[in-house]
Amino acid sequence: MSLIMVPTTTESNALTMVDAPTGWVDEELAESQSLPQQPEPKEEASFGTRLGQVALAAFPLGWTAFGDTTEQIAAIEQMVVVQPPQHDAWMDADEFQELSSLAQALPGPWATQLFLACAMCHAGPWGGLVALILWMGPGVTLLTVAGLWMPSLLDADPGWTFWLAGVAPAAVALVWHSSLNVCRTLDKLGWVLALASCGATVFMDHELQHVIAMPDTKCTFPMLMIAGGLLAVLDALVGPRLGTYKEVTTDLEKTSRHMSFPLWTSFLILEIWLVLLLVAILLAQVIFPNNDYAAIFSQFFRMGSVVFGGEESLLPMMTTELIPSWFSQQDFSMGLALTQASPGSIFNLAAYMGAVQNGNLFLSLTAVASIYAPSFLFLLAALPLWSKLRQVVAFQAFVKGVNAVSIGFMGSMCVFLWESNIARVTDVILLVVCLGLIYFLQVSAPTVVAMAILLGPLLND
């Protein structure tokens, strides 16, 4: 072993003596101490550990995910990026934002899709399934119980209608609040398409009822969304551009490594969705036209396949296609208010609507499974393809156009809810009070509904 003398001066930051006479150190030791120490890469946790981490994050979110989409997304980011419970962050902030863009581009509730995407990237498809069950479980359970119990309560004592007079204005206020929050994401092109789709939907409902029966126009909403997407593509490719289109720099290959399926798998999943959609339509209209299960499966699977831009865009489809042929306006308003006051997505409203139909638990479960299935299938198919699709400007533009049109549907829903639920001066007063609580005092949705239930009988007495 060779030895060299290293000066022990302050300038040279001299090394201390190691098994050598004073002023002498090991040459190899000197070289090793002069090089920066590289941290050893962490060994990835096992699949079982990662699945447990997903469950650990999903369980509290399922019980605390109140509020609108933006509040739910903030809670998800806190859980999986900023401060995960008892484990390292699943991804960094840039990767989270990229998954948020993916979730917004797919059918289904934005926050739900985002959390499922994070869970799938962390623990694969099984992680996504566990996340979905724990995320929607509490809200679905509460709304199913309410749907089974509420009709019998109202039938036994019609006087309960008086005590629940404040529910409808509270529901309208919460939907207005959510719609206005989503509108903040629109650019110039988005505003043009949203206003056009809102006006077209209201016009068809008010002026063309004698020509077109809105409940029978199941293709109206998809056709408007496709038209909006094509107009956005023209804006992006031909110009002059009204919309803004981001350059993609985030690489999701590392984040989505647990979803790295062959390309043909994505197309197979899309084919499965298409087959299920055709089966749903045939079951309800040809094979079992009078069967409640077939009708529920057909209605909710189809609606779950075309809800873009925000989960609130589901509401105009429900009002135009299910009321009054399937449900009363009172049932819908009550279910909407309870859904807003419970954790989770507005898609959970399907649980209430299914339970109200003949007081059947299995109809409720069928409705929930039907409306969430397209979201899960689309996410499975899209994650392996997303890194490539996001580079295509035409794809970005089409998604932007579809989302903007869907936000316009939410605007039309605000009009429909006003017409069907705000009939008296006291309703207007309660609506204004609820909006004030939401915007100026940032009161949570459950508290708004509870206060409306208390104030409703007092104002109507």
Side-chain angles (χ1 to χ4, degrees), residues 117 120-121 123-125 255-262 379-381 383-384:
M120 287 183 181
C121 288
T255 309
S256 59
R257 61 190 178 278
H258 300 299
M259 292 293 297
S260 56
F261 300 136
L379 194 56
L380 278 177
L383 267 174

Side-chain angles (χ1 to χ4, degrees), residues 84-256:
Q86 302 179 12
H87 60 77
D88 296 329
W90 297 359
M91 61 195 68
D92 60 34
D94 290 338
E95 292 167 331
F96 182 83
Q97 290 302 319
E98 188 65 18
L99 287 179
S100 179
S101 299
L102 165 63
Q104 191 177 19
L106 296 176
W110 183 3
T112 303
Q113 291 287 67
L114 174 58
F115 184 55
L116 296 190
C118 294
M120 287 183 181
C121 288
H122 190 62
W126 287 108
L129 185 60
V130 169
L132 176 61
I133 293 172
L134 293 178
W135 168 272
M136 70 178 185
V140 166
T141 301
L142 293 173
L143 290 167
T144 299
V145 172
L148 294 173
W149 171 70
M150 192 64 67
S152 60
L153 175 66
L154 295 177
D155 291 341
D157 184 5
W160 275 103
T161 304
F162 170 78
W163 295 102
L164 298 175
V167 169
V172 176
L174 290 168
V175 171
W176 282 18
H177 168 65
S178 299
S179 301
L180 290 173
N181 277 347
V182 174
C183 287
R184 295 174 183 173
T185 64
L186 295 174
D187 54 19
K188 291 181 179 179
L189 176 66
W191 275 108
V192 170
L193 294 176
L195 291 174
S197 66
C198 177
T201 307
V202 174
F203 177 77
M204 284 188 295
D205 183 63
H206 288 71
E207 303 298 331
L208 299 181
Q209 283 185 344
H210 61 286
V211 179
I212 304 173
M214 285 297 285
D216 296 331
T217 57
K218 295 180 174 61
C219 295
T220 301
F221 292 105
M223 289 175 62
L224 288 174
M225 287 188 287
I226 292 173
L230 294 177
L231 288 174
V233 171
L234 288 176
D235 173 76
L237 300 182
V238 179
R241 288 186 173 184
L242 291 176
T244 55
Y245 308 94
K246 297 187 301 182
E247 181 181 355
V248 181
T249 57
T250 306
D251 184 9
L252 281 181
E253 289 187 4
K254 180 181 178 182
T255 309
S256 59

Side-chain angles (χ1 to χ4, degrees), residues 355-373:
V356 165
Q357 185 70 12
N358 299 327
N360 192 322
L361 171 63
F362 295 103
L363 279 178
S364 175
L365 298 178
T366 301
V368 171
S370 301
I371 201 169
Y372 275 107

Side-chain angles (χ1 to χ4, degrees), residues 18 26 36 70 95 108 167 185 187 216 276 285 342 353 376 385 428 432 434 445 455:
V18 180
D26 191 324
T70 55
E95 292 167 331
V167 169
T185 64
D187 54 19
D216 296 331
L276 288 174
Q285 299 185 7
S342 61
M353 304 305 280
F376 191 79
L385 299 174
V428 177
V432 172
C434 291
L455 290 175

